[in-house]
């Protein structure tokens, strides 16, 4: 069992909900402190701390100025441009006020939307904080998205102002943003009044008269601006953000202010254990939820310095290959807590583990990973390589902070590789039988992971402008019961630790046997010759479904060599037979150079499955590299 201290803490969060969250609410500053804690009178819509007023930017920036104004707040590093800059809380406070003054001058008012389409620049964080400072709602769109996806997000958010830049950079190549933005605005039914542009002088910047404004001269104009924080109701919307689109059309998550601030402050204390004065380094992008919660708001609310990094994990400040760049930054900035994703670790894993020990990383206390199932071989590789605890955490854009992980007081068991841990306080997590909706209470039963309402502070309020979709999508999947479905499938062992087996749609049914594709993937990825693998269910006339695997071999020559392919395929099948049994054996193992992924690095199984079944691949706006799907097609043809 998780130790009794955590078990008590957790129980209180569920059984004595209001008292529990009233205590957590004391971790942030309020203008009007909460009288009421939770208004759940209209489920599944819950309102946390209604009537209380606060401000996210105040909690992230202003409140630290008197105590630690000179301490580092935002450390911006770009290995793409070779630049490094530290902003103290005082400086961040000034920059955010300048940005806020500019937005106000462009007519942005409380409740207006501001769309932020930017690379990992310090100005992107200033813009987010400036929005919440004045009560405007930000909608950050990942900088890698092309014009069509951007246009649909502009239409959805209807921003008064768009904040962008001339260009981003990836692997030394300039990616011009402005032409994409212009094209997106041309295609959009909604026209922003103004576009604010940071000119990095990486790409030509053609300004549209009357609409486009350069940031630098405006900043000079508002150099001494003082813009007070706008106190907003705790339930005021702070931002909207899209899910990754792994399973279909991305959903626009709408987040509040007070509940979110409390949730983040509590998570920094109970989960990430961040202390003021320490440095937090999340390798995510501000375009994702991890970037919102654990690059910008969470660490700053805790009074920590946050390291914001533009660049690849394998390229150094001088543009030369350097798979140790992250650890160099850990050493230089004495990072204590680091947050990344399994997909990034798999990139590092292609290089020698010695790179992990090239720098003095003794400041580092833990590495948190989230976003995808963490397979055991990857977890072991990084954990042994770094010599620090690896803490898997399971959550969603919708939740805003971890649902399952190891918190303060929860015992970490080395044998628990593959488990993100136990339910976090506030989350009344259950496993339900997919078909009957019955609760599964015994150990090691497989079911859908659901959360009994009300969702704790920090979680989505609704789907942006679509309450019906919120209810329909998340709260209506279990017959006869209104519970929040995560659409993930898991088991809980006898000690109460959960394992995520994959998406509920990734469960396949082979001749009546229900198999999680993740289990098969885990087994295959244990083969020394396999760098990465995706397993999916493909319709089969005889068996209903069969498992098909696409693997990236370590030795690239395998892809083009039939004899090598057949040999490795045979070995993999034997391995699955031995570990999981013949029923789990994939019908075929195909070899490719890369797998199709979303821009946030998640396997796009639905697209692979569609290709295998000869169907249309659906919404591919989040597909990172289209050649990956072409390879899937070719591998199947070559393998036939
Ligand atoms: P969409 O909802 O648009 O299909 P998405 O679910 O990938 O996309 P995110 O909110 O970015 O969008 O991802 C959340 C999902 O990622 C979870 O529901 C789960 O499937 C997966 N996930 C996140 N963390 C973990 C983890 N630690 N272990 C296993 N799976 C994880
Ligand atoms: Mg999802």
């Amino acid at each position: 069992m998780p130790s009794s201290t955590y078990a008590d803490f957790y129980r209180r969060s569920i059984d004595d909900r209001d008292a529990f969250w009233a205590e957590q609410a004391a971790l942030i500053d309020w203008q009007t402190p909460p009288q009421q804690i939770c208004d759940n009178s209209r489920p599944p819509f819950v309102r946390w701390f209604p009537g209380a007023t606060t401000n996210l930017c105040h909690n992230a920036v202003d409140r630290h100025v008197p105590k630690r104004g000179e301490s580092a707040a935002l450390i911006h590093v770009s290995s793409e441009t070779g630049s490094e800059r530290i902003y103290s809380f005082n400086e961040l406070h000034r920059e955010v006020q300048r940005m806020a003054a500019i937005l106000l001058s462009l007519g942005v008012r409380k409740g207006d939307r501001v769309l932020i389409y930017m690379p990992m620049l310090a100005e992107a964080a200033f813009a987010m904080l400036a929005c919440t400072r004045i009560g405007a709602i930000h909608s950050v769109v990942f900088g890698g998205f092309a014009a069509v996806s951007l246009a649909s997000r502009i239409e959805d958010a209807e921003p008064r102002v768009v904040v962008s830049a001339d260009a981003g950079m990836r692997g030394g190549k300039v990616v011009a943003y402005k032409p994409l933005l212009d094209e997106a605005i041309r295609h959009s039914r909604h026209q922003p009044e103004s576009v604010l542009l940071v000119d990095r002088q990486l790409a030509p910047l053609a300004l549209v008269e009357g609409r486009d404004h350069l940031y630098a001269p405006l900043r000079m104009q508002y150099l001494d601006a003082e813009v007070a924080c706008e106190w907003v109701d705790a339930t005021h919307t702070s931002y909207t953000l899209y899910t990754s689109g792994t399973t279909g059309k991305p959903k626009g998550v709408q987040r509040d202010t007070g509940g979110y601030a409390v949730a983040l402050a509590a998570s920094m204390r109970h989960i990430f254990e961040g202390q003021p004065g320490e440095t937090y380094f999340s390798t995510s992008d501000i375009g994702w939820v991890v970037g919102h919660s654990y690059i910008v708001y969470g660490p700053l609310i805790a009074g920590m310095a946050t390291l914001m990094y533009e660049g690849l994990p394998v390229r150094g400040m001088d543009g030369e290959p350097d798979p140790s760049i992250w650890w160099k930054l850990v050493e230089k900035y004495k990072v204590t807590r680091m947050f990344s994703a399994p997909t990034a670790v798999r990139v590092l894993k292609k290089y020698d583990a010695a790179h992990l020990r090239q720098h003095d990383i003794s400041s580092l206390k833990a590495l948190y990973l989230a976003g995808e199932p963490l397979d055991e071989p990857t977890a072991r590789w990084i954990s042994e390589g770094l010599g620090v605890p690896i803490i898997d955490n399971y959550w969603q854009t919708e939740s805003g902070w971890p649902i399952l992980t190891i918190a303060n007081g929860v015992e970490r068991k080395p044998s628990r590789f593959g488990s993100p841990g136990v339910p976090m306080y506030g989350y009344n997590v259950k496993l339900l039988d997919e078909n009957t909706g019955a609760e599964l209470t015994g150990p090691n039963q497989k079911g859908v992971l659901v959360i009994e309402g009300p969702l704790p502070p920090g979680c989505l309020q609704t789907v942006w402008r679509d309450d019906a979709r919120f209810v329909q999508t998340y709260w209506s999947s279990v017959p006869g019961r209104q519970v929040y479905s995560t659409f993930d499938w898991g088991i809980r062992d006898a000690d109460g630790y959960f394992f995520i087996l994959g998406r509920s749609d990734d469960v396949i049914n082979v001749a009546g046997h229900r198999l999680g594709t993740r289990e098969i993937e885990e087994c295959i990825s244990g083969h020394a010759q396999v760098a990465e693998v995706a397993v999916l269910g493909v319709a089969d006339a005889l068996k209903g479904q069969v498992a098909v695997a696409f693997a990236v071999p370590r030795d690239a020559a395998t892809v083009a060599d039939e004899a090598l392919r057949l040999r490795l395929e045979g070995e993999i099948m034997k391995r699955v037979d031995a570990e999981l049994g013949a029923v789990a054996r994939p019908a075929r193992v195909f070899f490719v150079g890369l797998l199709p992924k979303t821009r946030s690095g998640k396997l796009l199984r639905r697209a692979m499955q569609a290709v295998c079944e000869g169907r249309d691949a659906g919404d591919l706006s989040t597909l990172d590299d289209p050649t990956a799907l072409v390879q899937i097609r070719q591998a199947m043809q070559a393998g036939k």
Side-chain angles (χ1 to χ4, degrees):
M1 268 310 273
S3 87
S4 70
T5 49
Y6 181 76
D8 293 346
F9 187 69
Y10 176 79
R11 275 264 60 87
R12 251 194 94 223
S13 77
I14 304 295
D15 296 344
D16 202 1
R17 183 187 70 208
D18 285 13
F20 179 91
W21 286 109
E23 260 165 40
Q24 305 307 317
L27 293 171
I28 68 158
D29 280 5
W30 299 88
Q31 171 73 359
T32 316
Q35 301 289 319
Q36 190 185 358
I37 304 302
C38 177
D39 170 11
N40 194 33
S41 57
R42 202 170 59 95
F45 300 93
V46 55
R47 296 161 73 235
W48 285 97
F49 315 111
T53 58
T54 184
N55 182 287
L56 258 182
C57 180
H58 167 85
N59 277 287
V61 183
D62 298 45
R63 71 162 171 163
H64 303 300
V65 166
K67 259 193 259 166
R68 54 186 76 89
E70 298 298 324
S71 311
L74 180 70
I75 302 167
H76 181 265
V77 178
S78 171
S79 63
E80 296 290 350
T81 58
S83 69
E84 288 184 67
R85 165 96 204 253
I86 301 175
Y87 298 86
S88 65
F89 277 102
N90 282 335
E91 287 167 317
L92 182 60
H93 188 224
R94 290 247 56 87
E95 294 295 349
V96 169
Q97 293 188 81
R98 290 165 187 151
M99 183 66 89
I102 296 171
L103 293 178
L104 287 171
S105 79
L106 297 175
V108 176
R109 296 292 176 266
K110 180 179 171 188
D112 284 349
R113 272 80 57 208
V114 173
L115 188 136
I116 300 173
Y117 179 65
M118 283 190 122
M120 288 287 284
L121 292 182
E123 286 80 0
F126 303 162
M128 291 166 74
L129 291 161
C131 284
T132 48
R133 184 172 196 85
I134 61 176
I137 300 170
H138 59 68
S139 176
V140 181
V141 176
F142 176 62
F145 276 122
V148 179
S149 316
L150 180 55
S152 74
R153 284 160 176 74
I154 292 175
E155 285 185 352
D156 201 28
E158 300 189 322
R160 190 179 290 276
V161 171
V162 174
V163 185
S164 189
D166 58 335
M169 270 183 93
R170 192 177 154 132
K173 290 201 198 76
V174 172
V175 184
Y177 278 27
K178 182 59 171 30
L180 289 175
L181 176 60
D182 286 341
E183 193 189 333
I185 295 176
R186 255 199 316 279
H187 283 119
S188 166
R189 279 182 305 246
H190 172 84
Q191 296 296 302
E193 285 166 22
S194 313
V195 174
L196 179 64
L197 292 153
V198 175
D199 186 3
R200 313 175 75 187
Q201 314 214 319
L202 294 174
L205 195 54
L207 299 184
V208 174
E209 190 61 42
R211 186 196 74 184
D212 296 355
H213 307 268
L214 286 177
Y215 170 71
L218 282 171
R219 178 177 172 276
M220 289 313 287
Q221 197 177 322
Y222 291 101
L223 212 54
D224 301 319
E226 289 184 11
V227 177
C229 289
E230 169 100 29
W231 300 110
V232 296
D233 196 277
T235 60
H236 178 71
T237 301
S238 59
Y239 69 76
T240 68
L241 177 68
Y242 291 86
T243 58
S244 295
T246 312
T247 54
K249 191 168 175 275
K251 300 165 279 268
V253 162
Q254 178 180 325
R255 191 99 61 210
D256 70 0
T257 298
Y260 186 53
V262 169
L264 292 184
S267 73
M268 291 307 295
R269 166 154 309 189
H270 306 301
I271 302 173
F272 298 104
E273 302 177 59
Q275 299 299 326
E278 296 183 348
T279 305
Y280 196 97
F281 177 18
S282 166
T283 70
S284 183
D285 188 282
I286 49 150
W288 312 123
V289 68
V290 178
H292 283 62
S293 294
Y294 298 113
I295 294 178
V296 179
Y297 293 112
L300 292 176
I301 286 175
M304 296 179 84
T306 181
L307 199 161
M308 189 174 175
Y309 174 70
E310 178 186 46
L312 301 179
V314 293
R315 204 162 165 274
M317 297 299 288
D318 53 3
E320 295 299 316
D322 181 4
S324 73
I325 175 71
W326 282 356
W327 320 112
K328 196 177 201 162
L329 296 175
V330 168
E331 172 175 344
K332 179 160 184 189
Y333 295 106
K334 307 220 166 17
V335 172
T336 57
R337 310 270 159 183
M338 192 165 161
F339 195 131
S340 192
T343 182
V345 176
R346 286 188 206 110
V347 171
L348 297 177
K349 208 171 139 205
K350 294 188 178 137
Y351 299 80
D352 197 329
H355 291 295
L356 302 174
R357 293 294 189 108
Q358 218 166 304
H359 299 279
D360 175 7
I361 55 163
S362 53
S363 59
L364 192 64
K365 297 193 182 115
L367 171 66
Y368 303 89
L369 297 175
E372 269 197 301
L374 174 64
D375 58 288
E376 184 162 340
T378 302
R380 277 197 194 286
W381 182 83
I382 187 82
S383 145
E384 281 157 21
L386 291 177
V388 303
I390 303 302
I391 300 177
D392 188 3
N393 53 131
Y394 161 85
W395 48 300
Q396 307 183 305
T397 308
E398 291 88 342
S399 70
W401 60 285
I403 298 170
L404 299 174
T405 188
I406 301 294
N408 262 345
V410 182
E411 202 182 329
R412 282 187 85 245
K413 303 191 178 169
S415 59
R416 299 291 177 199
F417 269 129
S419 162
V422 302
M424 284 300 97
Y425 50 90
Y427 288 104
N428 195 356
V429 176
K430 307 222 149 116
L431 285 175
L432 301 187
D433 181 286
E434 245 179 326
N435 301 318
T436 65
E439 189 174 341
L440 305 172
T441 50
N444 302 323
Q445 292 176 291
K446 299 178 187 179
V448 188
L449 208 106
V450 303
I451 304 165
E452 195 88 54
L455 293 176
C459 295
L460 79 169
Q461 296 170 291
T462 182
V463 171
W464 172 247
R465 289 195 162 155
D466 202 345
D467 285 352
R469 189 171 175 205
F470 173 65
V471 177
Q472 182 57 36
T473 304
Y474 296 105
W475 298 88
S476 312
S477 64
V478 180
R481 267 182 97 160
Q482 197 180 53
V483 289
Y484 173 88
S485 177
T486 62
F487 298 100
D488 289 309
W489 206 56
I491 60 169
R492 176 182 40 218
D493 71 10
D495 297 329
Y497 288 72
F498 282 73
F499 293 76
I500 301 294
L501 300 173
R503 315 257 177 178
S504 41
D505 359 351
D506 296 338
V507 177
I508 57 180
N509 197 327
V510 180
H513 299 275
R514 289 153 55 74
L515 303 166
T517 50
R518 163 141 191 225
E519 294 167 272
I520 311 176
E521 282 168 6
E522 187 105 1
C523 168
I524 297 177
S525 72
H527 191 292
Q529 289 306 314
V530 174
E532 217 175 346
V533 63
V535 172
L536 34 131
V538 174
D540 181 85
L542 220 58
K543 297 183 174 170
Q545 266 185 323
V546 291
V548 170
F550 289 92
V552 179
R554 267 191 193 284
D555 176 7
T558 310
V559 176
D561 184 319
E562 193 176 2
L564 289 178
R565 280 204 308 263
L566 286 174
R567 189 164 79 210
L568 187 51
E569 181 175 15
E571 283 177 23
I572 288 174
M573 293 200 176
K574 260 197 223 128
R575 191 181 166 89
V576 177
D577 281 0
E579 285 188 12
L580 301 175
V583 13
R585 182 202 305 155
R588 286 303 311 266
V589 183
F590 297 111
F591 297 98
V592 288
L594 83 165
L595 292 166
K597 291 196 176 167
T598 65
R599 289 173 202 267
S600 56
K602 295 162 190 267
L603 282 176
L604 258 181
R605 282 205 191 71
R606 65 178 162 87
M608 288 184 255
Q609 190 180 41
V611 167
C612 290
E613 294 180 350
R615 286 182 287 112
D616 176 64
D619 181 327
L620 289 180
S621 58
T622 84
L623 176 63
D624 190 35
D625 184 345
T627 62
L629 263 194
V630 175
Q631 289 203 23
I632 295 284
R633 239 176 239 121
Q634 285 168 347
M636 285 183 58
Q637 274 150 14
K640 270 190 182 139

